Amino acid sequence: MILYITVAAVTVLLAGMVCSRPITQPYRVTRQQMCNRVCLAAVFLILFGLSACRLNVGNDYAKYVEFMHLVNCDAYVPTEIGFNLLVKIIYGLSGFENYLLVFAVYAFVTVFLFLLAMYEQSDDFPLTFFLFMMLGYYFQTFSTVRYYLALAAALYSMKFVMRRQWGRFAALILLGSAFHKSLLVVLPLYFLASLRWKKWQLGLGAVFCTTFLFAQDFYLKLVVFLYPTYEDTEYLEGGTSYINILRCLAVLVFAGIVWYMRKREGMEEERRFRFYFYLNLGALVLYVFCSFLPIISRIGYYLTVSHILFLPMLLGQVENKRWRRLFRLGILLAAMLYFAMYMSRAGNDGTLILPYKTFFFNDMVNILSDVN
């Protein structure tokens, strides 16, 4: 745990020196631009190195090693074509089952996409990165590596939604879905969140949400159709997260307060505000009404990952310096509390990022194929 806290502290300090809106000069690299490059490179190398050098760290690390072995043996695995093809290529070029390199490639792309998305889209990169670390997004990349690659792609794709570049948005999502097909849900969800909804349309949406209460069997059958491997397994048990519900409520309340404070002058970048607001409203609806769905947490994360962009934007809209400091302090304290809670269960089943092990000093445990 000391290692994780140290990494979080060092990278947050480095991120604090980054300005995502540096002053530029023609034909000259400014001091701030150079500082940005050095600090971002250092942050990337630290996060990538920690992830790439791990061994059997993460809830499903051994399961992924088993999947890679089966892919190499041309056996059936419930993973997408992108994952399978990447394993085939790396194993073929390496000449042996080099699962460490596969995890390193995933770490490289995932961390790079997250950092690029935050740098390009955040109004306050240091705060966004702080939230990224404190809310556990980075450390969760140690588990479900396919999903968090898709989540990074979803976060990066938000800029295309804002620019109405639907072709690029669809292309990125389709490419990412080759590694985790759940990413396809953001195609309709992000589009719907980008619309300017009228009150009567929101009313119809509320009526539609009631179908989740009496048509649960239909939606479960739809999930099994999309995920055949979930049939007759514990994955169909569903469940929801009260912490995520509280997070969504807190963000929506804060957004309402800021909207009220800005109602006379008008909200700057209203389109972006509306997009993030509807994403969080949609996440709240899913967590409350769709707890019976086994993939609700994954769908919800595609929506709530916007918190790390939305909260800095909202703070920037608070003109009163005193209120802005108070809101910032509240956000920082809440994020640190969440991080403490996350780290307290980091060694539990479902997370298993503790203890940290590296291939420099440890050997991989036997996978299921080795035992049989």
Side-chain angles (χ1 to χ4, degrees):
M1 186 180 297
I2 295 177
L3 174 63
Y4 292 155
I5 294 174
T6 302
V7 166
V10 170
T11 54
V12 165
L13 289 174
L14 288 169
M17 294 184 282
V18 174
C19 174
S20 55
R21 300 291 187 273
I23 298 175
T24 59
Q25 297 182 9
Y27 311 109
R28 180 183 176 185
V29 178
T30 65
R31 181 177 299 178
Q32 184 60 61
Q33 287 176 305
M34 183 59 68
C35 178
N36 285 355
R37 294 176 184 179
V38 172
C39 291
L40 285 172
V43 169
F44 172 80
L45 290 175
I46 291 172
L47 298 185
F48 165 69
L50 185 69
S51 181
C53 293
R54 76 188 193 280
L55 180 72
N56 201 25
V57 176
N59 185 56
D60 48 9
Y61 190 101
K63 182 185 295 185
Y64 270 112
V65 175
E66 171 74 11
F67 284 164
M68 295 177 202
H69 171 73
L70 294 175
V71 168
N72 194 48
C73 296
D74 295 321
Y76 169 77
V77 288
T79 49
E80 291 79 4
I81 187 173
F83 174 84
N84 299 344
L85 184 60
L86 179 64
V87 171
K88 281 282 190 180
I89 292 173
I90 291 178
Y91 278 19
L93 293 175
S94 301
F96 66 100
E97 295 192 354
N98 192 352
Y99 55 85
L100 293 174
L101 184 56
V102 177
F103 282 113
V105 170
Y106 265 92
F108 184 97
V109 177
T110 302
V111 173
F112 180 80
L113 276 179
F114 268 125
L115 286 178
L116 185 61
M118 291 186 286
Y119 181 74
E120 290 185 352
Q121 299 180 61
S122 177
D123 293 348
D124 184 348
F125 178 81
L127 179 57
T128 291
F129 183 80
F130 175 82
L131 294 172
F132 172 71
M133 296 299 293
M134 293 297 101
L135 297 181
Y137 287 113
Y138 167 68
F139 295 105
Q140 277 297 104
T141 64
F142 292 1
S143 302
T144 57
V145 294
R146 291 163 37 247
Y147 172 75
Y148 274 85
L149 173 63
L151 186 65
L155 183 67
Y156 186 74
S157 74
M158 290 181 185
K159 77 172 188 176
F160 297 131
V161 176
M162 291 295 94
R163 297 174 182 176
R164 295 295 193 266
Q165 296 174 330
W166 299 114
R168 295 184 180 183
F169 168 66
L172 177 59
I173 298 305
L174 291 174
L175 177 62
S177 68
F179 295 88
H180 205 287
K181 58 187 175 184
S182 68
L183 183 59
L184 292 173
V185 301
V186 308
L187 287 173
L189 292 180
Y190 284 10
F191 174 73
L192 291 173
S194 70
L195 300 177
R196 183 186 294 272
W197 290 80
K198 298 179 180 179
K199 292 182 179 180
W200 67 269
Q201 293 172 325
L202 291 174
L204 287 179
V207 172
F208 172 76
C209 289
T210 62
T211 64
F212 294 118
L213 300 177
F214 58 81
Q216 294 184 3
D217 291 340
F218 167 77
Y219 289 113
L220 284 174
K221 290 179 180 178
L222 181 61
V223 169
V224 171
F225 174 77
L226 295 173
Y227 291 89
T229 55
Y230 281 6
E231 189 170 11
D232 298 327
T233 67
E234 70 276 7
Y235 292 114
L236 286 181
E237 294 178 359
T240 191
S241 170
Y242 295 108
I243 293 178
N244 285 330
I245 291 175
L246 291 175
R247 269 180 57 185
C248 290
L249 282 173
V251 171
L252 290 173
V253 169
F254 181 40
I257 293 173
V258 174
W259 180 271
Y260 177 79
M261 295 172 69
R262 294 282 303 186
K263 67 178 182 178
R264 291 184 179 179
E265 297 83 2
M267 179 68 67
E268 296 177 6
E269 299 191 66
E270 182 180 342
R271 178 189 295 177
R272 193 152 61 102
F273 173 89
R274 188 172 61 248
F275 176 65
Y276 294 147
F277 182 87
Y278 284 142
L279 286 181
N280 285 277
L281 181 61
L284 180 62
V285 169
L286 289 176
Y287 285 129
V288 172
F289 290 97
C290 305
S291 60
F292 63 93
L293 293 177
I295 56 173
I296 189 60
S297 62
R298 292 181 176 180
I299 298 176
Y301 270 34
Y302 285 132
L303 306 179
T304 59
V305 71
S306 61
H307 287 173
I308 64 177
L309 300 176
F310 195 22
L311 290 174
M313 177 196 172
L314 291 173
L315 276 178
Q317 296 294 315
V318 180
E319 293 183 334
N320 186 288
K321 292 183 179 180
R322 181 183 177 185
W323 280 109
R324 186 163 62 244
R325 292 194 187 102
L326 287 174
F327 285 136
R328 179 181 287 271
L329 178 61
I331 292 171
L332 296 179
L333 291 177
M336 288 189 288
L337 177 61
Y338 188 96
F339 183 70
M341 293 173 57
Y342 177 80
M343 281 298 158
S344 69
R345 58 177 186 271
N348 297 347
D349 290 338
T351 307
L352 285 180
I353 62 172
L354 285 176
Y356 182 81
K357 299 178 183 178
T358 173
F359 60 81
F360 292 115
F361 308 111
N362 298 274
D363 296 322
M364 183 61 191
V365 298
N366 291 331
I367 59 176
L368 184 61
S369 295
D370 296 330
V371 174
N372 292 338

Short mmCIF file of all heavy atoms in Angstrom, two decimals, residues 25-79:
data_model
loop_
_atom_site.label_atom_id
_atom_site.label_comp_id
_atom_site.label_asym_id
_atom_site.label_seq_id
_atom_site.Cartn_x
_atom_site.Cartn_y
_atom_site.Cartn_z
N GLN A 25 3.86 30.42 -28.27
CA GLN A 25 4.53 31.45 -29.06
C GLN A 25 4.97 30.83 -30.38
O GLN A 25 5.45 29.69 -30.40
CB GLN A 25 5.74 32.02 -28.32
CG GLN A 25 5.40 32.73 -27.03
CD GLN A 25 6.63 33.32 -26.36
OE1 GLN A 25 7.70 33.35 -26.93
NE2 GLN A 25 6.44 33.79 -25.13
N PRO A 26 4.81 31.56 -31.49
CA PRO A 26 5.18 31.01 -32.82
C PRO A 26 6.66 30.64 -32.87
O PRO A 26 7.52 31.40 -32.44
CB PRO A 26 4.84 32.16 -33.77
CG PRO A 26 3.88 33.03 -33.02
CD PRO A 26 4.24 32.91 -31.57
N TYR A 27 6.92 29.45 -33.38
CA TYR A 27 8.28 28.97 -33.62
C TYR A 27 9.14 28.90 -32.35
O TYR A 27 10.36 29.01 -32.40
CB TYR A 27 8.99 29.86 -34.66
CG TYR A 27 8.17 30.11 -35.90
CD1 TYR A 27 7.64 31.36 -36.14
CD2 TYR A 27 7.92 29.08 -36.81
CE1 TYR A 27 6.86 31.60 -37.27
CE2 TYR A 27 7.15 29.31 -37.94
CZ TYR A 27 6.62 30.57 -38.17
OH TYR A 27 5.86 30.79 -39.29
N ARG A 28 8.47 28.75 -31.21
CA ARG A 28 9.24 28.70 -29.97
C ARG A 28 8.50 27.86 -28.95
O ARG A 28 7.29 28.00 -28.78
CB ARG A 28 9.44 30.12 -29.41
CG ARG A 28 10.24 30.15 -28.11
CD ARG A 28 10.34 31.57 -27.59
NE ARG A 28 11.03 31.62 -26.31
CZ ARG A 28 11.17 32.72 -25.58
NH1 ARG A 28 10.65 33.85 -26.01
NH2 ARG A 28 11.80 32.67 -24.42
N VAL A 29 9.25 26.97 -28.29
CA VAL A 29 8.68 26.17 -27.21
C VAL A 29 8.84 26.93 -25.91
O VAL A 29 9.96 27.26 -25.50
CB VAL A 29 9.38 24.80 -27.12
CG1 VAL A 29 8.81 24.00 -25.95
CG2 VAL A 29 9.22 24.02 -28.41
N THR A 30 7.73 27.26 -25.28
CA THR A 30 7.79 28.03 -24.04
C THR A 30 8.22 27.14 -22.87
O THR A 30 8.22 25.91 -22.95
CB THR A 30 6.43 28.66 -23.72
OG1 THR A 30 5.48 27.61 -23.48
CG2 THR A 30 5.94 29.52 -24.89
N ARG A 31 8.57 27.81 -21.78
CA ARG A 31 8.99 27.08 -20.58
C ARG A 31 7.86 26.19 -20.06
O ARG A 31 8.09 25.07 -19.63
CB ARG A 31 9.42 28.08 -19.51
CG ARG A 31 9.92 27.42 -18.22
CD ARG A 31 10.38 28.47 -17.23
NE ARG A 31 11.50 29.25 -17.78
CZ ARG A 31 12.08 30.27 -17.14
NH1 ARG A 31 11.63 30.63 -15.93
NH2 ARG A 31 13.07 30.93 -17.69
N GLN A 32 6.61 26.70 -20.10
CA GLN A 32 5.47 25.92 -19.62
C GLN A 32 5.23 24.70 -20.51
O GLN A 32 4.92 23.61 -20.01
CB GLN A 32 4.21 26.77 -19.57
CG GLN A 32 2.99 26.05 -18.99
CD GLN A 32 3.20 25.58 -17.57
OE1 GLN A 32 3.44 26.38 -16.67
NE2 GLN A 32 3.11 24.27 -17.35
N GLN A 33 5.37 24.87 -21.81
CA GLN A 33 5.20 23.73 -22.71
C GLN A 33 6.24 22.66 -22.44
O GLN A 33 5.94 21.47 -22.43
CB GLN A 33 5.29 24.20 -24.16
CG GLN A 33 4.07 24.98 -24.64
CD GLN A 33 4.24 25.50 -26.05
OE1 GLN A 33 5.20 26.19 -26.37
NE2 GLN A 33 3.31 25.14 -26.93
N MET A 34 7.49 23.08 -22.22
CA MET A 34 8.55 22.12 -21.90
C MET A 34 8.28 21.44 -20.57
O MET A 34 8.47 20.21 -20.43
CB MET A 34 9.89 22.82 -21.87
CG MET A 34 11.07 21.88 -21.63
SD MET A 34 11.19 20.58 -22.89
CE MET A 34 11.62 21.58 -24.33
N CYS A 35 7.80 22.22 -19.59
CA CYS A 35 7.46 21.63 -18.29
C CYS A 35 6.34 20.61 -18.44
O CYS A 35 6.38 19.53 -17.83
CB CYS A 35 7.05 22.74 -17.33
SG CYS A 35 6.55 22.18 -15.69
N ASN A 36 5.34 20.94 -19.26
CA ASN A 36 4.24 20.00 -19.51
C ASN A 36 4.76 18.69 -20.07
O ASN A 36 4.37 17.61 -19.63
CB ASN A 36 3.24 20.62 -20.49
CG ASN A 36 2.36 21.67 -19.86
OD1 ASN A 36 2.41 21.91 -18.66
ND2 ASN A 36 1.55 22.32 -20.67
N ARG A 37 5.63 18.77 -21.05
CA ARG A 37 6.14 17.57 -21.71
C ARG A 37 6.93 16.70 -20.74
O ARG A 37 6.77 15.47 -20.71
CB ARG A 37 7.00 17.95 -22.90
CG ARG A 37 6.23 18.65 -24.02
CD ARG A 37 7.15 19.11 -25.13
NE ARG A 37 6.42 19.85 -26.16
CZ ARG A 37 6.98 20.39 -27.24
NH1 ARG A 37 8.29 20.26 -27.43
NH2 ARG A 37 6.24 21.05 -28.12
N VAL A 38 7.79 17.33 -19.96
CA VAL A 38 8.62 16.58 -19.02
C VAL A 38 7.76 15.92 -17.95
O VAL A 38 7.92 14.72 -17.64
CB VAL A 38 9.68 17.49 -18.38
CG1 VAL A 38 10.42 16.76 -17.27
CG2 VAL A 38 10.67 17.98 -19.44
N CYS A 39 6.82 16.68 -17.39
CA CYS A 39 5.98 16.15 -16.31
C CYS A 39 5.04 15.06 -16.81
O CYS A 39 4.87 14.03 -16.14
CB CYS A 39 5.19 17.27 -15.67
SG CYS A 39 6.18 18.46 -14.73
N LEU A 40 4.45 15.28 -17.97
CA LEU A 40 3.55 14.26 -18.52
C LEU A 40 4.31 12.98 -18.86
O LEU A 40 3.82 11.87 -18.63
CB LEU A 40 2.84 14.80 -19.76
CG LEU A 40 1.72 15.81 -19.51
CD1 LEU A 40 1.24 16.42 -20.83
CD2 LEU A 40 0.54 15.17 -18.79
N ALA A 41 5.52 13.14 -19.41
CA ALA A 41 6.33 11.96 -19.73
C ALA A 41 6.69 11.20 -18.45
O ALA A 41 6.65 9.96 -18.41
CB ALA A 41 7.59 12.37 -20.48
N ALA A 42 7.03 11.95 -17.39
CA ALA A 42 7.38 11.30 -16.13
C ALA A 42 6.18 10.58 -15.53
O ALA A 42 6.29 9.44 -15.05
CB ALA A 42 7.91 12.35 -15.15
N VAL A 43 5.01 11.23 -15.55
CA VAL A 43 3.79 10.60 -15.04
C VAL A 43 3.49 9.33 -15.83
O VAL A 43 3.17 8.27 -15.25
CB VAL A 43 2.60 11.57 -15.12
CG1 VAL A 43 1.29 10.83 -14.84
CG2 VAL A 43 2.78 12.71 -14.14
N PHE A 44 3.59 9.42 -17.15
CA PHE A 44 3.31 8.25 -17.99
C PHE A 44 4.26 7.10 -17.67
O PHE A 44 3.83 5.95 -17.51
CB PHE A 44 3.41 8.61 -19.47
CG PHE A 44 3.32 7.42 -20.38
CD1 PHE A 44 2.08 6.87 -20.69
CD2 PHE A 44 4.46 6.83 -20.90
CE1 PHE A 44 1.99 5.75 -21.51
CE2 PHE A 44 4.38 5.72 -21.72
CZ PHE A 44 3.14 5.18 -22.03
N LEU A 45 5.54 7.39 -17.57
CA LEU A 45 6.53 6.33 -17.33
C LEU A 45 6.32 5.67 -15.97
O LEU A 45 6.47 4.45 -15.84
CB LEU A 45 7.94 6.90 -17.44
CG LEU A 45 8.41 7.30 -18.84
CD1 LEU A 45 9.78 7.97 -18.79
CD2 LEU A 45 8.44 6.08 -19.76
N ILE A 46 5.96 6.47 -14.96
CA ILE A 46 5.73 5.90 -13.63
C ILE A 46 4.51 4.98 -13.65
O ILE A 46 4.56 3.83 -13.17
CB ILE A 46 5.54 7.02 -12.59
CG1 ILE A 46 6.86 7.77 -12.38
CG2 ILE A 46 5.06 6.44 -11.26
CD1 ILE A 46 6.71 9.02 -11.53
N LEU A 47 3.41 5.47 -14.20
CA LEU A 47 2.18 4.66 -14.23
C LEU A 47 2.32 3.45 -15.13
O LEU A 47 1.88 2.35 -14.77
CB LEU A 47 1.01 5.53 -14.68
CG LEU A 47 0.65 6.72 -13.80
CD1 LEU A 47 -0.61 7.42 -14.32
CD2 LEU A 47 0.46 6.31 -12.35
N PHE A 48 2.92 3.64 -16.29
CA PHE A 48 3.13 2.52 -17.19
C PHE A 48 4.07 1.48 -16.58
O PHE A 48 3.80 0.28 -16.64
CB PHE A 48 3.68 3.02 -18.52
CG PHE A 48 4.25 1.92 -19.39
CD1 PHE A 48 3.42 0.98 -19.98
CD2 PHE A 48 5.62 1.82 -19.61
CE1 PHE A 48 3.94 -0.04 -20.76
CE2 PHE A 48 6.15 0.81 -20.39
CZ PHE A 48 5.31 -0.12 -20.98
N GLY A 49 5.17 1.95 -15.99
CA GLY A 49 6.14 1.03 -15.41
C GLY A 49 5.55 0.20 -14.29
O GLY A 49 5.77 -1.02 -14.21
N LEU A 50 4.78 0.84 -13.40
CA LEU A 50 4.17 0.11 -12.29
C LEU A 50 3.21 -0.96 -12.80
O LEU A 50 3.17 -2.08 -12.27
CB LEU A 50 3.42 1.09 -11.38
CG LEU A 50 2.84 0.49 -10.10
CD1 LEU A 50 3.95 0.10 -9.14
CD2 LEU A 50 1.88 1.48 -9.43
N SER A 51 2.45 -0.63 -13.83
CA SER A 51 1.49 -1.58 -14.37
C SER A 51 2.17 -2.69 -15.18
O SER A 51 1.82 -3.87 -15.05
CB SER A 51 0.48 -0.84 -15.26
OG SER A 51 -0.49 -1.73 -15.77
N ALA A 52 3.14 -2.32 -16.01
CA ALA A 52 3.78 -3.30 -16.89
C ALA A 52 4.65 -4.29 -16.13
O ALA A 52 4.84 -5.43 -16.59
CB ALA A 52 4.61 -2.57 -17.94
N CYS A 53 5.19 -3.90 -14.98
CA CYS A 53 6.11 -4.76 -14.25
C CYS A 53 5.42 -5.65 -13.23
O CYS A 53 6.08 -6.44 -12.55
CB CYS A 53 7.18 -3.92 -13.54
SG CYS A 53 8.30 -3.07 -14.67
N ARG A 54 4.10 -5.54 -13.12
CA ARG A 54 3.41 -6.34 -12.12
C ARG A 54 3.30 -7.80 -12.56
O ARG A 54 3.36 -8.10 -13.76
CB ARG A 54 2.01 -5.77 -11.84
CG ARG A 54 0.99 -6.06 -12.93
CD ARG A 54 -0.30 -5.29 -12.66
NE ARG A 54 -1.41 -5.75 -13.48
CZ ARG A 54 -1.62 -5.42 -14.74
NH1 ARG A 54 -0.77 -4.62 -15.36
NH2 ARG A 54 -2.67 -5.89 -15.40
N LEU A 55 3.14 -8.67 -11.60
CA LEU A 55 2.95 -10.10 -11.88
C LEU A 55 1.89 -10.65 -10.95
O LEU A 55 2.01 -10.56 -9.72
CB LEU A 55 4.26 -10.87 -11.68
CG LEU A 55 4.18 -12.38 -11.95
CD1 LEU A 55 4.04 -12.63 -13.45
CD2 LEU A 55 5.38 -13.12 -11.40
N ASN A 56 0.83 -11.19 -11.53
CA ASN A 56 -0.28 -11.76 -10.78
C ASN A 56 -0.87 -10.74 -9.80
O ASN A 56 -1.26 -11.08 -8.68
CB ASN A 56 0.14 -13.03 -10.02
CG ASN A 56 -1.04 -13.90 -9.67
OD1 ASN A 56 -2.08 -13.87 -10.32
ND2 ASN A 56 -0.88 -14.70 -8.62
N VAL A 57 -0.94 -9.51 -10.25
CA VAL A 57 -1.56 -8.43 -9.47
C VAL A 57 -2.81 -7.99 -10.24
O VAL A 57 -2.72 -7.55 -11.38
CB VAL A 57 -0.61 -7.24 -9.28
CG1 VAL A 57 -1.32 -6.10 -8.55
CG2 VAL A 57 0.63 -7.67 -8.52
N GLY A 58 -3.93 -8.10 -9.58
CA GLY A 58 -5.20 -7.80 -10.24
C GLY A 58 -6.13 -8.98 -10.09
O GLY A 58 -5.71 -10.15 -10.05
N ASN A 59 -7.40 -8.70 -10.01
CA ASN A 59 -8.39 -9.72 -9.69
C ASN A 59 -8.40 -10.88 -10.68
O ASN A 59 -8.65 -12.02 -10.30
CB ASN A 59 -9.78 -9.08 -9.65
CG ASN A 59 -10.84 -10.05 -9.20
OD1 ASN A 59 -10.75 -10.64 -8.14
ND2 ASN A 59 -11.86 -10.23 -10.03
N ASP A 60 -8.13 -10.61 -11.95
CA ASP A 60 -8.25 -11.65 -12.98
C ASP A 60 -6.96 -11.83 -13.78
O ASP A 60 -7.01 -12.27 -14.93
CB ASP A 60 -9.41 -11.34 -13.91
CG ASP A 60 -9.39 -9.90 -14.40
OD1 ASP A 60 -8.38 -9.21 -14.16
OD2 ASP A 60 -10.37 -9.46 -15.02
N TYR A 61 -5.82 -11.53 -13.18
CA TYR A 61 -4.54 -11.66 -13.88
C TYR A 61 -4.31 -13.10 -14.35
O TYR A 61 -4.02 -13.35 -15.52
CB TYR A 61 -3.40 -11.21 -12.97
CG TYR A 61 -2.05 -11.06 -13.67
CD1 TYR A 61 -1.59 -9.81 -14.04
CD2 TYR A 61 -1.24 -12.16 -13.93
CE1 TYR A 61 -0.37 -9.64 -14.66
CE2 TYR A 61 -0.02 -12.02 -14.55
CZ TYR A 61 0.41 -10.75 -14.92
OH TYR A 61 1.63 -10.62 -15.54
N ALA A 62 -4.47 -14.05 -13.42
CA ALA A 62 -4.25 -15.45 -13.77
C ALA A 62 -5.27 -15.94 -14.79
O ALA A 62 -4.94 -16.74 -15.67
CB ALA A 62 -4.30 -16.32 -12.51
N LYS A 63 -6.51 -15.43 -14.70
CA LYS A 63 -7.53 -15.81 -15.66
C LYS A 63 -7.15 -15.35 -17.06
O LYS A 63 -7.34 -16.07 -18.04
CB LYS A 63 -8.89 -15.24 -15.26
CG LYS A 63 -10.03 -15.64 -16.19
CD LYS A 63 -11.33 -14.94 -15.81
CE LYS A 63 -11.81 -15.37 -14.45
NZ LYS A 63 -13.13 -14.76 -14.12
N TYR A 64 -6.59 -14.15 -17.15
CA TYR A 64 -6.16 -13.65 -18.46
C TYR A 64 -4.99 -14.45 -19.02
O TYR A 64 -4.92 -14.70 -20.22
CB TYR A 64 -5.78 -12.17 -18.36
CG TYR A 64 -6.92 -11.24 -18.60
CD1 TYR A 64 -7.44 -10.44 -17.59
CD2 TYR A 64 -7.51 -11.14 -19.85
CE1 TYR A 64 -8.50 -9.59 -17.80
CE2 TYR A 64 -8.59 -10.29 -20.08
CZ TYR A 64 -9.07 -9.52 -19.06
OH TYR A 64 -10.12 -8.68 -19.29
N VAL A 65 -4.09 -14.85 -18.14
CA VAL A 65 -2.98 -15.69 -18.60
C VAL A 65 -3.51 -17.02 -19.15
O VAL A 65 -3.04 -17.53 -20.17
CB VAL A 65 -1.98 -15.95 -17.45
CG1 VAL A 65 -0.89 -16.93 -17.90
CG2 VAL A 65 -1.35 -14.64 -17.00
N GLU A 66 -4.54 -17.55 -18.49
CA GLU A 66 -5.18 -18.78 -18.97
C GLU A 66 -5.84 -18.54 -20.33
O GLU A 66 -5.70 -19.35 -21.25
CB GLU A 66 -6.22 -19.23 -17.95
CG GLU A 66 -7.14 -20.37 -18.40
CD GLU A 66 -6.44 -21.72 -18.44
OE1 GLU A 66 -5.31 -21.82 -17.93
OE2 GLU A 66 -7.04 -22.66 -18.98
N PHE A 67 -6.56 -17.42 -20.47
CA PHE A 67 -7.18 -17.09 -21.75
C PHE A 67 -6.14 -16.99 -22.86
O PHE A 67 -6.35 -17.48 -23.98
CB PHE A 67 -7.95 -15.77 -21.65
CG PHE A 67 -9.26 -15.87 -20.92
CD1 PHE A 67 -9.90 -14.73 -20.46
CD2 PHE A 67 -9.86 -17.10 -20.70
CE1 PHE A 67 -11.12 -14.81 -19.81
CE2 PHE A 67 -11.08 -17.20 -20.04
CZ PHE A 67 -11.70 -16.05 -19.59
N MET A 68 -5.02 -16.34 -22.57
CA MET A 68 -3.97 -16.19 -23.58
C MET A 68 -3.41 -17.55 -24.00
O MET A 68 -3.14 -17.79 -25.18
CB MET A 68 -2.85 -15.30 -23.04
CG MET A 68 -3.25 -13.87 -22.77
SD MET A 68 -1.89 -12.92 -22.06
CE MET A 68 -2.79 -11.58 -21.26
N HIS A 69 -3.25 -18.43 -23.02
CA HIS A 69 -2.77 -19.78 -23.33
C HIS A 69 -3.76 -20.51 -24.24
O HIS A 69 -3.35 -21.15 -25.22
CB HIS A 69 -2.57 -20.57 -22.03
CG HIS A 69 -2.27 -22.01 -22.24
ND1 HIS A 69 -1.06 -22.48 -22.73
CD2 HIS A 69 -3.06 -23.12 -22.06
CE1 HIS A 69 -1.10 -23.80 -22.82
NE2 HIS A 69 -2.30 -24.22 -22.41
N LEU A 70 -5.04 -20.39 -23.95
CA LEU A 70 -6.06 -21.05 -24.76
C LEU A 70 -6.12 -20.45 -26.17
O LEU A 70 -6.32 -21.18 -27.15
CB LEU A 70 -7.42 -20.95 -24.09
CG LEU A 70 -7.57 -21.69 -22.75
CD1 LEU A 70 -8.92 -21.42 -22.13
CD2 LEU A 70 -7.36 -23.19 -22.95
N VAL A 71 -5.96 -19.13 -26.26
CA VAL A 71 -5.93 -18.49 -27.58
C VAL A 71 -4.76 -19.03 -28.39
O VAL A 71 -4.90 -19.34 -29.58
CB VAL A 71 -5.80 -16.96 -27.43
CG1 VAL A 71 -5.47 -16.31 -28.77
CG2 VAL A 71 -7.10 -16.38 -26.89
N ASN A 72 -3.63 -19.17 -27.75
CA ASN A 72 -2.44 -19.69 -28.43
C ASN A 72 -2.62 -21.14 -28.87
O ASN A 72 -1.98 -21.59 -29.84
CB ASN A 72 -1.22 -19.57 -27.52
CG ASN A 72 0.08 -19.76 -28.25
OD1 ASN A 72 0.31 -19.18 -29.32
ND2 ASN A 72 0.97 -20.58 -27.70
N CYS A 73 -3.50 -21.86 -28.16
CA CYS A 73 -3.77 -23.26 -28.50
C CYS A 73 -4.97 -23.40 -29.44
O CYS A 73 -5.44 -24.52 -29.68
CB CYS A 73 -4.02 -24.06 -27.22
SG CYS A 73 -2.60 -24.16 -26.12
N ASP A 74 -5.49 -22.27 -29.93
CA ASP A 74 -6.65 -22.25 -30.82
C ASP A 74 -7.90 -22.84 -30.17
O ASP A 74 -8.77 -23.39 -30.86
CB ASP A 74 -6.34 -23.00 -32.12
CG ASP A 74 -5.26 -22.30 -32.93
OD1 ASP A 74 -5.27 -21.06 -32.97
OD2 ASP A 74 -4.40 -23.00 -33.51
N ALA A 75 -7.98 -22.74 -28.85
CA ALA A 75 -9.17 -23.20 -28.13
C ALA A 75 -10.15 -22.04 -28.00
O ALA A 75 -9.81 -20.88 -28.23
CB ALA A 75 -8.78 -23.74 -26.75
N TYR A 76 -11.38 -22.35 -27.62
CA TYR A 76 -12.40 -21.32 -27.49
C TYR A 76 -12.17 -20.49 -26.24
O TYR A 76 -11.88 -21.02 -25.15
CB TYR A 76 -13.80 -21.93 -27.42
CG TYR A 76 -14.86 -20.93 -27.03
CD1 TYR A 76 -15.34 -20.01 -27.96
CD2 TYR A 76 -15.34 -20.87 -25.71
CE1 TYR A 76 -16.29 -19.06 -27.60
CE2 TYR A 76 -16.30 -19.95 -25.34
CZ TYR A 76 -16.77 -19.04 -26.29
OH TYR A 76 -17.70 -18.10 -25.93
N VAL A 77 -12.28 -19.19 -26.38
CA VAL A 77 -12.24 -18.27 -25.24
C VAL A 77 -13.34 -17.22 -25.44
O VAL A 77 -13.66 -16.86 -26.58
CB VAL A 77 -10.88 -17.57 -25.10
CG1 VAL A 77 -9.81 -18.52 -24.62
CG2 VAL A 77 -10.46 -16.93 -26.43
N PRO A 78 -13.92 -16.71 -24.35
CA PRO A 78 -15.01 -15.74 -24.47
C PRO A 78 -14.53 -14.30 -24.63
O PRO A 78 -15.22 -13.36 -24.23
CB PRO A 78 -15.75 -15.91 -23.14
CG PRO A 78 -14.68 -16.27 -22.18
CD PRO A 78 -13.71 -17.12 -22.94
N THR A 79 -13.35 -14.11 -25.21
CA THR A 79 -12.80 -12.78 -25.40
C THR A 79 -12.95 -12.33 -26.85
O THR A 79 -13.15 -13.15 -27.75
CB THR A 79 -11.31 -12.76 -25.00
OG1 THR A 79 -10.63 -13.86 -25.64
CG2 THR A 79 -11.16 -12.88 -23.50
#
